[in-house]
């Protein structure tokens, strides 16, 4: 029995080693199986060494979680750029009409951009996003920098025709012009979702890359087909991430990696005071001319504390006096990026089998039993501070959503309880 | 890192070593122990060069009583520089660990063109004119003249070098050509003559194949190398062709016309000398009567070419009487040229053995075999006597004498073929008389005999048992290594059918079939739309490439290809090709993407790397068989069959496949790199062809990839490129280590070697 547990454990570790090389799971499947892996997951069962069936997804989840954990672990105590100005560049050239992603690359891109924008604002309430599309070799600014997810999504959904060539240089030039105007405390970023395999540029793209580097614009690229040298070069030069999607779920994963704030660029990492306004919500019955829509609106809305103009949504910049307007919950939500929860340690099996140490058999978070199939100890983690054990699901939940460790929190509030548990 | 291989402590300048490098060193070490020759195949990108260098230098360090000299032969100057820079790294490392005990003198040697620092000389456009310009300043009589008359220009670098006398030595270290020039400039010494002199004392000499294989050059440069040397031929998959070329001569009409001009000029010179300084001619005559070797006591700057025949075959006797007098010799040459002109007039292709040919010369021109044999030496002596310095003008007559000497020396292994026109363009008369050598073992035999160990190594030496037969030697070690990879970074495919499921091939009866042309076009078109950056295409010949590109142009396929990527073409013009390559690289760098059309056996296929994004895919259109109707090839095949029992078909397939492997091997130059290879011909799926590919390609050629059509290949390409774009762990998982540190080596010892080899 124990042996078996250890084997599984080993499997897990081995899989982790392979993680970078062979992302996610199920890549070893044949091509026709892979296409259905998402929809018919109940069919993808695999047999382990002991003849037990287990779903492949389980392992994939484990991978994804581990991967993210590594990322946060490496970034502990690094100054982060919380106020981000991100331009999403979407390639709508001919190549985006290809059907190797179902139903087509552009549809998949649009779908996940929507999810990304929502996730992005959830994680970075102080930041702004703009969308640029490339079509026929020309870059168009679809939406200006703004803080409202709805308006971006709406603007994008209407404009999804693809045609012509793609040009990274044009897009970078356009974005560079926009981003150069924003205040210095903001982090300038570009995320390019690139379908094409080449770029048709009017001039020397290498110069443009240097220009972006000089303006401290961090450029990242998510490719949909294959690794392209110039994209890799762009990302290396500007400190961004370059990744290529294997399939739709991988693409989703890759694009969501860009949602948490990146580490701040060293030269920019000086502490700065930023002037901000915390507007009050206007009374429900009041009628005022809204400064963003230029029309009279009743109820809701916020009033700028400096010039008393009315705005509809937060966060935003006041149209009249240019003050950054946010609400305090937004600030609070950004806070956890600066002080992330330390990654939990894995509990080794030898420790579990040690009869001298009595460890609780249930997850501290959800109180579910930690025993796996056949009463073997299942995989679990423990918080290095409060030493409580958690199941893998809770691990992800705590790190991804909760941003608080229940163990540490309860110990802080009720010392005696923690003592007795020890 | 530092580790032990049996009783040798190996100094290796990197922190990690690939397992195959370790195995390679082990085999090499055993070959050195046995003092025998070896044949080692290891894929490119696995660090052959550094493994070789570090083992051989460490070997001679660990045996200080019998130091080995390393003679490292490369094909190009570029490779020479690369080797020397690796050696520099190694030397620095050894120096750090051993201090001055590691004292090593290593230098590269090249022609004057690459080494000269005299601004008046080095500006000349080609190698021969640089040589001649140098001679104009440095020949012994010029210098003697200058001693009396200060107005005569000489080379100040040689003068200071000569003045320094025995003090002019290179301090220990590693010198690339660049370093040699810099050193020469600093001291004011001529780097060329300095290098020529230091070659005898150096521990490591890096130079070109010709310096050992071409008897004309080898006689001068490599004469004094000690027997305790290790000779390494790197990238030696074409070594048999180099050997053959070293002993082959072709004579065209222009050559003969030029030779006539040369003869007239010499005639005038002789007359002039007769009038002014008859004693010189008489002195030469006397010297020839005495049978003195003409070269033995000449100053170093006067020797430029030795006899084209191999040292053992040169008779050590006096020049025959009928050519001792300068005028008589000129008459003989004139008759010879006339005779050759007569032979070139022919309407039909003629093929003869040397014996018949010599007999025919004897009857028609009255020149016997012995006289022919001495032509070259006699010419050399005469030019010396006449104080001719512009040797580049006299290349034609040198070619003729070269020819005469070879024909007079060798009775078998050669044939003389006269073709009135090129087979491919029968209406343009272009007569050519070729003396072609069929036996590659002739030129390399003295090397095997003279030196203790000869190492022949390359990325493609398959099938490895054929080389010993072609070169006629017995290797003590012959082994092929595979590559240990962290991921499957090469993806060879055999494409047998087009998108319409009809077979594709460049077989003679199929190649002009429109369906095949279209299928090849569709293949490329589909591939340019899924492969990023650079694609390289190899065709079987220039004429085939011209034809197929033409018809792609007519059918509009080319235009469609150009929408995805720019198209560049290799031509027979070197300058044009270099320009095309430059622009190709630029297009790959800036993300536009490009396709390069090239020809197997061309310059690009041999020497240019398409690593990283410069070549993500290489397509080999067809099997690059040699032009099988060529008379020379037929004669060589016949000879191989009769002498070495190598079947014609076997040799042709071997030759075609090694070219194909060489072409596709261009894309992968390191383990971090990745690339796809498509063999687009149905004949590749046959076992007899496929099995001749090198092991490192075969081991990645999965059964499922053996019989693909365009659409399947396209799908595989997409998958492969996505997979390769993912980040990966360079050191390899715990299961299969592909990078070994010092501790790993100590821990594993012998075991890993077995893993790699078996």
């Amino acid at each position: 029995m124990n042996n078996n547990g250890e084997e599984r454990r080993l499997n897990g570790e081995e899989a982790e080693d392979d993680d970078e090389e062979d992302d996610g799971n199920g890549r070893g499947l044949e091509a026709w199986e892979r296409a259905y892996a998402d929809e018919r997951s109940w069919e993808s069962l695999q047999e382990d060494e002991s003849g037990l069936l287990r779903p492949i997804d389980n392992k994939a989840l484990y991978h994804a979680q581990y991967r993210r954990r590594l990322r946060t672990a490496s970034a502990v105590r690094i100054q982060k750029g919380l106020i981000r100005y991100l331009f999403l560049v979407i390639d709508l050239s001919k190549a985006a009409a290809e059907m190797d992603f179902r139903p087509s690359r552009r549809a998949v891109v649009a779908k996940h951009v929507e999810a990304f924008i929502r996730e992005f604002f959830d994680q970075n309430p102080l930041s702004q996003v703009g969308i640029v599309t490339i079509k026929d070799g020309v870059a168009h600014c679809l939406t200006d920098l703004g803080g409202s997810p709805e308006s971006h999504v709406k603007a994008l959904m209407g404009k999804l025709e693809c045609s012509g060539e793609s040009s990274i240089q044009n897009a970078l030039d356009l974005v560079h012009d926009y981003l150069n105007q924003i205040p210095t405390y903001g982090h300038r970023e570009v995320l390019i979702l690139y379908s094409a395999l080449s770029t048709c540029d009017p001039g020397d793209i290498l110069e443009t890359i240097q220009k972006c580097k000089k303006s401290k614009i961090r450029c990242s690229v998510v490719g949909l087909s294959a690794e392209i040298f110039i994209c890799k070069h762009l990302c290396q030069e500007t400190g961004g991430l370059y990744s290529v999607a294997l399939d739709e779920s991988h693409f989703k994963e890759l694009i969501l990696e860009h949602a948490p704030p990146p580490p701040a660029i060293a030269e920019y990492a000086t502490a700065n005071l930023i002037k901000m306004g915390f507007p009050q919500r206007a009374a429900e019955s009041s009628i005022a001319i809204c400064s963003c829509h230029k029309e009279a609106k009743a109820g809701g809305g916020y009033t700028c504390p400096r010039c008393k103009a009315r705005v509809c949504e937060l966060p935003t910049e006041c149209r009249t006096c240019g003050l950054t307007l946010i609400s305090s919950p937004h600030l609070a939500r950004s806070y956890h990026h600066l002080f992330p929860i330390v990654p939990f340690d894995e509990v080794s099996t030898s420790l579990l089998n040690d009869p001298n140490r009595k460890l609780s058999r249930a997850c501290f978070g959800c109180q579910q039993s930690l025993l796996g199939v056949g009463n073997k100890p299942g995989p679990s983690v423990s918080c290095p501070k409060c030493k409580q054990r958690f199941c893998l699901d809770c691990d992800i939940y705590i790190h991804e959503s909760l941003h608080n460790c229940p163990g540490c929190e309860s110990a802080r509030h009720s010392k005696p309880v923690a003592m007795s548990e020890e | 890192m530092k580790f032990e291989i049996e009783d040798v402590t190996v100094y290796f300048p990197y922190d990690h070593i690939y397992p195959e490098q370790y195995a390679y060193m082990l085999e090499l070490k055993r070959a050195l122990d046995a003092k025998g020759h070896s044949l080692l195949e290891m894929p490119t990108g696995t660090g052959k060069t550094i493994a070789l260098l570090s083992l051989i230098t460490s070997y001679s360090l660990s045996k200080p009583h019998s130091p080995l000299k390393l003679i490292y032969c490369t094909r190009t100057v570029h490779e020479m520089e690369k080797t020397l820079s690796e050696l520099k790294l190694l030397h620095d490392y050894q120096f750090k660990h051993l201090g001055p005990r590691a004292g090593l003198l290593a230098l590269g040697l090249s022609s004057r063109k690459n080494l000269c620092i005299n601004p008046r000389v080095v500006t000349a456009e080609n190698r021969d004119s640089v040589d001649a310009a140098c001679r104009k300043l440095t020949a012994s009589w010029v210098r003697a003249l200058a001693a009396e008359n200060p107005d005569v220009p000489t080379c100040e670098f040689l003068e200071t070098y000569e003045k320094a006398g025995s003090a002019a030595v290179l301090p220990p270290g590693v010198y690339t050509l660049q370093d040699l020039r810099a050193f020469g400039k600093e001291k004011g010494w001529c780097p060329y003559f300095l290098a020529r002199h230091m070659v005898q004392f150096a521990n490591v000499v890096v130079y070109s194949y010709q310096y050992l294989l071409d008897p004309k050059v080898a006689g001068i440069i490599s004469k004094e190398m000690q027997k305790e040397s290790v000779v390494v031929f790197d990238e030696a998959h074409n070594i048999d062709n180099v050997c053959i070329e070293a002993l082959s001569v072709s004579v065209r009409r222009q050559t003969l016309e030029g030779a006539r001009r040369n003869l007239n000029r010499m005639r005038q010179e002789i007359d002039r000398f007769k009038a002014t300084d008859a004693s010189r001619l008489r002195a030469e005559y006397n010297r020839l009567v005495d049978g003195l070797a003409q070269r033995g006591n000449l100053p170093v700057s006067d020797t430029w070419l030795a006899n084209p025949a191999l040292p053992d075959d040169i008779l050590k006797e006096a020049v025959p009487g009928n050519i001792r007098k300068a005028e008589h010799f000129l008459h003989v040459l004139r008759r010879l040229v006339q005779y050759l002109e007569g032979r070139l007039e022919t309407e039909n292709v003629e093929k003869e053995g040397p014996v018949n040919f010599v007999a025919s010369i004897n009857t028609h021109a009255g020149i016997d075999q012995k006289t022919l044999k001495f032509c070259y030496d006699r010419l050399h002596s005469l030019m010396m006597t006449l104080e001719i310095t512009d040797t580049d003008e006299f290349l034609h007559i040198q070619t003729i004498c070269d020819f005469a000497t070879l024909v007079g020396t060798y009775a078998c292994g050669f044939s003389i073929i006269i073709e009135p026109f090129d087979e491919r363009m029968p209406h343009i008369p272009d007569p050519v008389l070729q003396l072609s050598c069929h036996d590659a073992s002739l030129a390399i035999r003295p090397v095997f005999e003279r030196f203790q160990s000869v190492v022949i190594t390359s990325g493609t030496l398959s099938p490895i048992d054929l080389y010993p037969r072609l070169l006629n030697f017995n290797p003590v070690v012959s082994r092929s290594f595979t590559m240990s990879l962290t991921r499957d970074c090469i993806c060879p495919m055999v494409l047998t059918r087009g998108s319409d499921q009809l077979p594709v091939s460049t077989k003679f009866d199929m190649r002009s079939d429109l369906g095949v042309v279209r299928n090849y076009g569709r293949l490329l078109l589909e591939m340019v739309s899924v492969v990023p950056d650079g694609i390289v295409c190899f065709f079987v010949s220039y004429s085939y490439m011209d034809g197929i590109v033409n018809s792609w142009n007519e059918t509009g396929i080319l235009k469609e290809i150009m929408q995805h990527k720019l198209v560049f073409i290799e031509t027979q013009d070197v300058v044009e090709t270099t320009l095309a390559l430059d622009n190709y690289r630029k297009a790959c760098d800036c993300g536009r993407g490009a396709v390069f059309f090239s020809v197997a056996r061309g310059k690009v296929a041999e020497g240019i790397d398409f690593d990283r994004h410069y070549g993500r895919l290489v397509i080999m259109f067809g099997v690059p068989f040699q032009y099988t109707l060529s008379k020379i090839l037929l004669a060589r095949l016949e000879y191989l069959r009769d002498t070495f029992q190598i079947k014609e078909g076997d040799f042709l397939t071997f030759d075609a496949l090694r070219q194909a492997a060489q072409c596709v091997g261009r894309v992968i130059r390191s383990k971090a790199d990745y690339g796809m290879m498509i063999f687009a011909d149905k004949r590749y799926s046959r076992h007899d062809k496929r099995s001749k590919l090198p092991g490192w390609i075969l081991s990645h050629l999965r059964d499922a990839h053996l019989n693909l059509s365009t659409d399947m290949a396209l799908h595989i390409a997409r998958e492969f490129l996505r997979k390769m774009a993912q980040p990966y762990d360079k050191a390899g998982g715990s299961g299969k280590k592909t990078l070994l540190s010092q501790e790993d080596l100590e821990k594993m010892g012998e075991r890993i070697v077995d893993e790699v080899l078996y």
Side-chain angles (χ1 to χ4, degrees), chain A residues 84-100:
Chain A
R84 306 166 70 188
Y85 291 88
L86 173 81
F87 262 105
L88 264 173
V89 176
I90 300 170
D91 171 19
L92 288 179
S93 65
K94 227 169 22 195
E98 279 200 33
M99 315 262 273
D100 52 350

Side-chain angles (χ1 to χ4, degrees), chain B residues 389-666:
Chain B
T389 46
D390 47 351
T391 42
D392 54 334
E393 298 288 320
F394 284 82
L395 286 178
H396 299 297
I397 191 70
Q398 283 178 39
T399 312
I400 300 289
C401 289
D402 196 354
F403 173 82
T405 305
L406 284 174
V407 115
T409 313
Y410 296 101
C412 68
F414 284 79
S415 57
I416 289 121
I417 293 163
I418 308 170
E419 286 176 286
F421 47 74
D422 194 327
E423 293 263 331
R424 277 157 280 193
M425 286 171 281
H427 36 276
I428 304 169
D430 177 26
V432 55
L433 183 148
Q434 282 161 304
L435 173 74
S436 70
C437 170
H438 302 314
D439 193 346
S441 65
L442 277 180
I444 203 167
R445 197 175 53 213
V447 179
F448 283 130
E449 280 167 4
R450 265 184 62 197
F451 299 108
Q452 181 178 311
S453 304
V454 175
V455 181
I456 293 179
T457 185
S458 172
T460 44
L461 284 178
S462 300
I464 205 156
D465 53 326
L466 198 58
Y467 282 87
R469 282 160 78 194
L470 278 177
L471 300 177
N472 200 11
F473 75 109
N474 283 322
V476 291
V477 173
S478 88
R479 184 143 273 164
S480 177
F481 300 90
T482 54
M483 201 178 341
S484 62
L485 293 171
T486 39
R487 51 177 190 169
D488 292 327
C489 68
I490 59 174
C491 178
M493 294 180 248
V494 174
L495 182 126
T496 55
R497 289 161 289 140
S499 41
D500 54 4
Q501 306 302 322
L502 290 173
V504 290
S505 175
T506 56
K507 232 161 96 180
F508 194 70
D509 49 350
M510 281 179 77
R511 60 167 58 173
S512 47
D513 184 350
L514 274 182
V516 173
V517 171
R518 195 185 54 238
N519 269 331
Y520 275 151
R522 303 291 320 171
L523 166 67
L524 182 58
L525 184 56
E526 298 279 5
M527 284 298 161
V528 291
S529 65
V530 299
V531 178
D533 301 329
I535 296 183
V536 193
C537 302
F538 286 101
F539 297 90
V540 289
S541 67
Y542 281 108
S543 59
Y544 182 65
M545 179 167 81
D546 289 349
I548 200 165
V549 171
N550 248 334
S551 53
W552 284 350
N553 187 26
E554 277 157 24
T555 48
I557 290 178
L558 200 61
K559 209 170 182 184
E560 283 179 66
I561 291 172
M562 299 230 261
Q563 284 182 353
H564 292 278
K565 291 189 192 302
L566 307 181
V567 175
F568 297 94
I569 298 190
E570 176 187 6
T571 61
Q572 268 143 322
D573 184 337
V574 180
V575 181
E576 220 168 55
T577 304
T578 318
L579 197 68
L581 266 173
D582 250 20
N583 286 324
Y584 169 80
R585 294 229 169 84
K586 240 179 247 165
C588 293
D589 279 336
C590 77
R592 181 64 184 87
V595 187
F596 197 86
F597 288 167
S598 174
V599 171
R601 297 168 198 283
K603 172 177 171 283
V604 171
E606 272 302 317
I608 312 288
D609 288 349
F610 292 97
D611 54 344
R612 299 178 297 133
H613 60 286
Y614 297 127
R616 286 297 180 211
L617 165 70
V618 53
I619 308 179
M620 180 74 236
F621 289 106
V623 187
F625 281 114
Q626 285 190 51
Y627 178 61
T628 43
L629 295 178
S630 145
K631 296 288 175 301
I632 296 173
L633 180 64
L634 289 177
R636 183 172 179 207
L637 287 177
E638 199 177 309
Y639 182 82
L640 285 176
R641 194 192 52 213
D642 295 346
T643 321
F644 297 124
Q645 287 78 49
I646 298 171
K647 272 193 252 157
E648 287 102 327
D650 279 356
F651 180 78
L652 284 176
T653 319
F654 148 75
D655 185 65
L657 268 292
R658 80 171 159 187
Q659 288 304 332
Q662 190 56 30
C663 292
V664 299
R666 297 281 109 201

Side-chain angles (χ1 to χ4, degrees), chain B residues 13 18 99 104 175 184 191 210 215 226 248 271 277 342 350 366 410 415 421 435 451 480 606 612 688:
Chain B
Y18 297 135
L104 173 86
Y175 296 88
Q210 267 70 31
Q226 70 212 45
S248 298
D271 289 345
D277 189 9
E350 291 176 29
Y410 296 101
S415 57
F421 47 74
L435 173 74
F451 299 108
S480 177
E606 272 302 317
R612 299 178 297 133
D688 64 322

Side-chain angles (χ1 to χ4, degrees), chain A residues 20-21 31 34 98 100-101 105 165 197-201 205 224-230 244-246 250, chain B residues 486 529-533 563-564 589-592 613 616 674 715 718-719 721-723 725-728:
Chain A
E20 289 296 297
E21 174 187 352
R34 221 168 306 159
E98 279 200 33
D100 52 350
F101 285 69
R105 285 185 187 173
E165 306 280 347
L197 280 172
S198 60
T199 159
C200 274
D201 301 318
I205 187 166
L224 280 99
S225 40
E227 183 184 274
I228 307 160
F229 171 75
I230 195 72
V244 175
L246 288 164
H250 189 222
Chain B
T486 39
S529 65
V530 299
V531 178
D533 301 329
Q563 284 182 353
H564 292 278
D589 279 336
C590 77
R592 181 64 184 87
H613 60 286
R616 286 297 180 211
Y674 63 89
H715 188 78
R718 273 209 185 104
E719 295 282 324
L721 288 168
R722 287 220 168 94
K723 215 167 99 199
Q726 306 309 316
Y728 75 104

Side-chain angles (χ1 to χ4, degrees), chain A residues 371-415:
Chain A
L371 294 179
V373 192
N375 262 4
K376 298 176 311 233
S380 64
V381 291
S382 78
C383 171
K385 279 192 191 139
C386 63
K387 310 283 183 222
Q388 295 294 351
R389 288 178 71 207
F390 295 96
C391 66
L392 297 185
D393 289 339
C394 284
D395 183 22
I396 299 178
Y397 176 67
I398 289 166
H399 281 97
E400 303 287 312
S401 316
L402 198 59
H403 305 300
N404 281 319
C405 169
C408 302
E409 289 296 317
S410 57
R412 193 187 302 164
H413 292 307
S414 50
K415 270 259 147 64

